[in-house]
């Protein structure tokens, strides 16, 4: 089962911001709504209590009346409008006095102790405040109550909840947009660093720009040091390989000349050993050259790099009566050092010229984003057994070198 690719850093930050916003904003809305509800409820109760004190201060028994009344009007039109939702009531021994707003109705205050709620004359919910008032000359205390509909209070609370809901929704959207822009701007240096790395890999640049934010400048400098050290190591390895080739070439030639003077059996044995030494040297030099292709930033134009190789081998082929045709991709580039590319194609082409009878064809093109090199000749070819050994050895070498070029696209069309 293939592993899922990890989410991008920007996606993780945006998802985290969204979850945090969804968790914090509803909680903030609940707290604000609760605080507002408590504040307006307390203010409503305070106003109801102040009105109750005003009613109680104006209670009196008029001469000849069996029920108490008010000394003067409260000057509040809500108590004069019938069923307005604001009522006062005074219960005494001889009966009850009520505000004009209650008309012919009475409040059932039996279960209400100081503060509570009950149903009003129109079925509305009322909030009630009451107290007991003692008047000189009256044995039983009077019960004074003021009631007000909670409909307006509930409407105010509902409006506030809707308003805070829309406000928090808009704030959440603005916050998410701001966080998105912040993430995009904050991660821009990382995207620029990625583009610079891709440019180095393509060969358009040989180093990263270290004029980056402090958090990334150290990374860019470290990468530049790695790239520079990689180039120095490859140059050193190539120089060492060239020195080795020159150092061994002359002794092998001298040994070969001396071997010609020996007896046939000894000459044949020494010649075989010298051939093995020469093959081993060529093999390790080829491996060193192939390793150089793993360096970032190496690029070679196919036609420019192969032109001198084709021209030199064409003269050799003409002396042997062989026609050498070359089809080099126009504008084709290969992600490889030019000298290494010349050596790889030159070895193949030299081998074809050596074994060809009359014709050799070199074709370099592009296939599925990679450079395809085809060398054809009309020579005798290899036996099936020899071809099997060669292809098996090539597969083992390719397997050892595969991790260094994993995912690379070494051929580009410009």
């Amino acid at each position: 089962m293939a592993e899922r690719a990890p989410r991008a850093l920007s996606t993780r930050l945006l998802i985290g911001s969204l979850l945090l916003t969804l968790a914090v904003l509803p909680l903030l809305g609940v707290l604000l709504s609760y605080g507002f509800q408590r504040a307006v409820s307390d203010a409503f109760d305070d106003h109801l209590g102040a009105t109750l004190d005003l009613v109680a201060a104006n209670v009196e028994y008029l001469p000849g009346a069996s029920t108490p009344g008010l000394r003067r009007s409260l000057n509040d039109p809500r108590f004069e409008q019938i069923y307005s939702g604001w009522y006062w009531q005074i219960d005494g021994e001889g009966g009850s006095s009520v505000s004009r707003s209650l008309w012919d109705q009475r409040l059932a205050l039996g279960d209400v102790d100081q503060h509570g709620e009950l149903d009003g004359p129109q079925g509305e919910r009322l909030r009630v405040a009451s107290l007991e008032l003692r008047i000189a000359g009256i044995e039983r205390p009077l019960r004074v109550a003021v009631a007000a509909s909670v409909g307006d209070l509930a409407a105010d609370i509902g409006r506030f909840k809707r308003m805070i809901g829309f406000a928090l929704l808009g704030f959440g959207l603005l916050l998410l947009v701001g966080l998105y822009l912040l993430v995009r701007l904050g991660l821009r240096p990382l995207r620029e660093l990625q583009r610079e790395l891709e440019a180095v890999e393509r060969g358009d640049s040989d180093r990263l720009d270290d004029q980056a934010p402090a958090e990334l400048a150290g990374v860019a400098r470290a990468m530049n040091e790695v790239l520079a050290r990689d180039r120095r190591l490859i140059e050193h390895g190539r120089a060492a390989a060239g020195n080795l080739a020159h150092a061994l070439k002359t002794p092998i030639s001298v040994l070969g000349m001396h071997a010609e003077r020996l007896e046939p059996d000894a000459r044949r044995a020494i010649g075989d050993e010298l051939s093995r030494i020469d093959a081993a040297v060529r093999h390790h030099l080829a491996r060193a050259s192939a390793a150089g292709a793993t360096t970032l930033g190496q690029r070679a134009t196919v036609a420019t790099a192969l032109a001198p190789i084709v021209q030199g081998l064409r003269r050799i082929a003409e002396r042997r009566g062989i026609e050498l045709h070359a089809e080099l991709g126009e504008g084709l580039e290969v992600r490889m050092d030019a000298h290494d590319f010349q050596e790889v194609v030159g070895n193949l082409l030299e081998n074809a010229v050596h074994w060809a009878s009359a014709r050799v064809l070199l074709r370099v093109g592009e296939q599925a984003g990679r450079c395809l090199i085809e060398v054809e000749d009309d020579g005798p070819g290899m036996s099936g057994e020899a071809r099997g050994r060669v292809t098996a050895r090539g597969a083992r070498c390719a397997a050892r070198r595969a991790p260094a070029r994993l995912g690379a696209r070494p051929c580009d069309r410009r």
Side-chain angles (χ1 to χ4, degrees):
M1 182 177 179
E3 295 184 1
R4 293 178 55 187
R7 289 189 177 94
L9 184 58
S10 58
T11 304
R12 295 183 183 183
L13 292 176
L14 290 175
I15 291 177
S17 301
L18 177 61
L19 294 178
L20 184 62
T21 301
L22 293 178
V24 171
L25 291 187
L27 179 61
L28 181 60
V30 171
L31 293 177
L32 290 175
S33 299
Y34 176 76
F36 178 80
Q37 183 174 352
R38 286 295 304 272
V40 297
S41 296
D42 292 344
F44 187 82
D45 289 339
D46 291 342
H47 180 61
L48 199 63
T51 305
L52 176 64
D53 293 338
L54 182 62
V55 173
N58 284 277
V59 173
E60 68 173 355
Y61 267 97
L62 299 176
S66 60
T67 58
L70 294 183
R71 184 179 300 112
R72 60 184 178 84
S73 174
L74 299 180
N75 294 324
D76 190 337
R78 292 177 296 183
F79 292 108
E80 300 298 328
Q81 181 181 353
I82 297 176
Y83 303 142
S84 65
W86 282 80
Y87 316 104
W88 60 261
Q89 179 173 310
I90 305 172
D91 294 336
E93 292 182 352
S96 300
S97 295
V98 297
S99 62
R100 181 177 174 81
S101 57
L102 268 174
W103 192 241
D104 58 350
Q105 301 291 324
R106 296 294 183 270
L107 300 176
L109 302 175
D111 298 333
V112 178
D113 183 16
Q114 293 186 347
H115 294 280
E117 293 186 0
L118 51 80
D119 292 330
Q122 297 297 310
E124 75 275 28
R125 198 65 179 168
L126 302 177
R127 192 166 182 82
V128 181
S130 66
L131 56 80
E132 291 185 350
L133 180 66
R134 292 185 178 274
I135 299 179
I138 301 177
E139 295 182 0
R140 296 183 60 183
L142 302 177
R143 190 172 188 184
V144 182
V146 175
S149 173
V150 297
D152 294 339
L153 178 65
D156 291 340
I157 293 174
R159 282 194 296 270
F160 178 81
K161 288 183 176 179
R162 289 191 294 272
M163 181 188 69
I164 200 67
F166 286 119
L168 290 178
L169 179 61
F171 176 73
L173 293 177
L174 290 177
L175 181 62
L176 289 177
V177 171
L179 289 173
Y180 172 78
L181 296 177
L182 183 62
V183 169
R184 294 287 299 178
L185 293 176
L187 296 182
R188 177 181 293 177
L190 284 177
R191 291 192 295 272
E192 292 178 354
L193 182 63
Q194 180 183 6
R195 286 192 290 268
E196 291 174 5
L197 283 172
E198 292 174 351
V200 170
E201 185 179 5
R202 291 193 305 268
D204 297 336
S205 176
D206 59 352
R207 66 189 308 275
L208 303 177
D209 183 11
D210 55 5
Q211 299 300 318
E215 295 81 1
L216 296 177
V219 176
R221 286 192 293 268
M223 287 296 298
N224 288 332
E225 292 177 1
V226 170
L227 293 173
R229 185 168 59 250
D230 191 21
R231 283 192 292 269
R232 288 195 300 269
L233 289 175
I234 290 177
E235 291 172 0
H236 178 73
R238 184 177 292 112
N243 294 335
L244 176 62
H246 288 292
L248 293 179
K249 182 178 180 180
T250 300
I252 292 176
S253 300
V254 172
L255 290 175
M257 292 174 57
H258 286 291
E260 294 295 332
R261 304 173 184 176
L262 299 178
E263 296 180 359
D265 294 339
R267 184 170 61 248
R268 189 182 308 109
I270 293 177
D272 292 341
E273 295 300 323
L274 290 177
S275 299
R276 291 178 57 187
I277 294 174
D278 183 63
V281 170
R282 289 177 178 273
H283 171 70
H284 289 288
L285 288 178
R287 290 189 60 184
S289 298
T294 62
T295 306
L296 293 175
Q298 299 293 324
R299 181 185 294 273
T301 303
V302 171
T304 304
L306 296 184
I309 300 297
V310 172
Q311 185 177 0
L313 289 176
R314 180 172 285 143
R315 287 195 295 266
I316 297 176
E318 289 175 353
R319 286 197 295 266
R320 297 186 53 195
I322 298 174
E323 294 182 3
L324 174 57
H325 299 279
E327 298 176 6
L328 308 180
E330 186 67 27
L332 193 64
E333 293 185 346
V334 62
R335 210 171 296 171
M336 187 176 183
D337 181 78
H339 296 288
D340 296 335
F341 186 58
Q342 289 174 351
E343 184 172 354
V344 170
V345 178
N347 289 335
L348 293 174
L349 198 57
E350 183 182 2
N351 183 72
V353 171
H354 177 76
W355 293 100
S357 298
R359 183 176 177 275
V360 173
L361 172 62
L362 169 64
R363 184 185 298 111
V364 182
E366 181 182 357
Q367 185 179 49
R370 294 183 178 274
C371 210
L372 178 63
I373 303 173
E374 298 179 84
V375 179
E376 300 179 3
D377 66 79
D378 56 355
M382 304 173 66
S383 64
E385 182 180 356
R387 185 166 56 251
R389 289 197 303 269
V390 171
T391 53
R393 185 168 62 249
R396 288 195 301 270
C397 294
R400 286 195 296 268
R401 292 195 300 268
R405 299 302 301 165
L406 185 61
R409 294 185 301 165
C411 186
D412 295 296
R413 176 73 65 176
R414 288 295 180 91

